[in-house]
Amino acid sequence: MPKEAVLTRPIKLSDVAKAAGVSQGTASNVFNRPQIVRPEVRERVEAAARALGYAGPDPKGRLLRAGKVNAIGIVTSDPLTYFFDDPYARVLMSGIAAACAEQGAGLSLVSAVNEEKLAWNIQSAIVDGFILLCIEDGFRLVELTRERKLPFVALQYENRDPSISAIGVDDFDGARRIAEHLGALGHRRVAIISLQLAEIQVGPVALADVEKAVYSGTRDRILGYLRGMESFGVDPHTVPIVETRNDSETVSAALDHVFSLSEPPTAILAMSDRAALIALDWLRAKGLKVPEDVSVVGFDGVPEAERSDPPLTTIAQPIERMGREAVAMILEHDDAPRQVMLDTELVIRGSTAPPRG
């Protein structure tokens, strides 16, 4: 092609067809179904494409025209680092990634702490559907995603809305069972290191605040813990409850508080394995032995819990299975929403023992 005829705009398939002297349909076949094109014609079209700098049809455009991009968006309102820093999220993503790999599907991570940015990210994501990590801000994630009119599945969603496909566990029952384990060992002085009940507060909370919790998963776990201890004669109003952000700073502050009480706990009910692992480090730094001086339990069943010192007693959620089920619900989407409740398992390890004395 003469130098003055070189195109400065993006090269299209029609440009290649014109330069090769073939129809656009024939040029398209060269890139998409080369076996049906005569070798000499295929070579002429490929030579024209090389001369023009045409790399081939845009796969995104082809997939969009077909109405399917074979990718799933994973959405959280937390920063992108949450997918890599949080033990629960890592196991969940492992299950999602494995299921996607088996189906030949891609993944798109969607997150932003700014609501306007998150809304834009959800609207612009090129995916067939979304998996929502509704640990926090579940209502906001659901409403933003509804606007895309694509299939979505909410994990650990706070609201039992029959119009929404969701996967979760019975938080109350799991919490009750692990509290009963402590009660059966003889513990009567326990403290609850809680996840957030609402978006902005941390610190000690009263029992009346629990019933008004924004996050029902947090509320249900607290009520489950209290019910389990109540069956051993413990008055729920006497159990210290401290709200945290599930990070080292606020969990450590919560432990500072409960161990400064006139009757410190003989057992810690941590609402996540992450908080429980932080508690193990805090207690070790204070010269307290687990489980000889204090028993500690978690909730999640992440791999780190099995490898901790001592290994952590916990309620194990089928986290990886949740990810796999969510992928299947997106890729095998039908119009009928489904709610799936999976079982939890009490896993007793070395972080719990009868209290001294």
Side-chain angles (χ1 to χ4, degrees):
M1 178 179 288
K3 184 178 294 186
E4 62 271 17
V6 173
L7 297 172
T8 57
R9 59 172 171 77
I11 305 300
K12 299 180 180 180
L13 184 63
S14 58
D15 300 318
V16 175
K18 183 177 180 180
V22 300
S23 70
Q24 187 168 333
T26 297
S28 176
N29 286 335
V30 168
F31 292 100
N32 297 304
R33 295 187 295 169
Q35 70 278 6
I36 70 171
V37 183
R38 297 198 313 274
E40 63 272 18
V41 175
R42 188 168 65 240
E43 290 171 7
R44 193 163 76 245
V45 171
E46 289 172 346
R50 286 194 298 272
L52 291 169
Y54 180 69
D58 181 358
K60 180 175 69 177
R62 184 172 68 250
L63 289 167
L64 287 173
R65 287 191 296 274
K68 187 175 178 64
V69 297
N70 208 28
I72 293 174
I74 318 300
V75 184
T76 177
S77 61
D78 287 306
L80 193 61
T81 53
Y82 170 76
F83 291 111
F84 310 98
D85 293 344
D86 186 86
Y88 175 93
R90 287 200 298 269
V91 178
L92 182 67
M93 288 301 297
S94 175
I96 291 172
C100 284
E102 291 167 6
Q103 298 294 325
L107 286 174
S108 177
L109 304 183
V110 181
S111 74
V113 291
N114 176 278
E115 181 165 349
E116 183 177 334
K117 183 68 173 177
L118 181 59
W120 187 89
N121 287 347
I122 291 173
Q123 286 298 321
S124 62
I126 302 173
V127 296
D128 297 313
F130 294 95
I131 297 173
L132 311 183
L133 275 60
C134 296
I135 308 302
E136 294 182 10
D137 296 338
F139 295 105
R140 180 165 69 111
L141 295 183
V142 166
E143 291 310 308
L144 289 173
T145 307
R146 278 187 195 272
E147 297 175 8
R148 274 300 301 270
K149 302 189 186 307
L150 288 174
F152 67 89
V153 178
L155 302 185
Q156 304 287 36
Y157 188 45
E158 307 292 336
N159 187 359
R160 301 289 186 261
D161 184 339
S163 70
I164 294 172
S165 290
I167 301 173
V169 299
D170 189 333
D171 289 295
F172 178 92
D173 181 68
R176 176 189 58 78
R177 284 188 288 137
I178 203 164
E180 287 178 349
H181 164 66
L182 291 177
L185 289 174
H187 292 279
R188 299 297 181 265
R189 297 202 316 269
V190 301
I192 297 172
I193 306 302
S194 173
L195 299 176
Q196 286 186 275
L197 286 85
E199 290 187 22
I200 57 173
Q201 63 191 46
V202 293
V205 296
L207 189 54
D209 298 323
V210 175
E211 292 289 353
K212 298 181 289 186
V214 173
Y215 303 135
S216 64
T218 302
R219 180 199 66 213
D220 290 348
R221 289 186 192 182
I222 292 174
L223 295 178
Y225 292 145
L226 297 176
R227 177 65 62 81
M229 294 308 302
E230 193 174 18
S231 65
F232 290 89
V234 175
D235 182 351
H237 292 86
T238 67
V239 177
I241 304 168
V242 189
E243 186 176 3
T244 76
R245 295 192 186 94
N246 200 36
D247 59 19
S248 182
E249 179 183 357
T250 58
V251 170
S252 296
L255 293 165
D256 286 337
H257 171 75
V258 298
F259 281 94
S260 70
L261 300 173
S262 58
E263 290 191 319
T266 63
I268 294 295
L269 285 153
M271 202 171 285
S272 73
D273 285 351
R274 185 179 190 181
L277 295 172
I278 294 169
L280 293 182
D281 291 339
W282 187 93
L283 292 163
R284 187 179 299 111
K286 299 295 183 182
L288 295 170
K289 294 183 179 180
V290 177
E292 293 86 350
D293 298 320
V294 183
S295 287
V296 178
V297 301
F299 199 116
D300 280 334
V302 301
E304 290 86 345
E306 187 175 4
R307 299 192 296 264
S308 64
D309 181 21
L312 184 67
T313 295
T314 188
I315 287 291
Q317 303 186 65
I319 307 172
E320 186 171 346
R321 183 183 167 193
M322 286 183 187
R324 287 182 168 274
E325 294 260 356
V327 170
M329 289 172 73
I330 294 295
L331 296 182
E332 301 167 8
H333 175 69
D334 56 39
D335 291 333
R338 288 195 293 140
Q339 288 79 44
V340 178
M341 189 70 74
L342 300 178
D343 293 331
T344 59
E345 177 186 4
L346 172 60
V347 180
I348 300 173
R349 299 193 181 107
S351 68
T352 51
R356 283 182 172 175

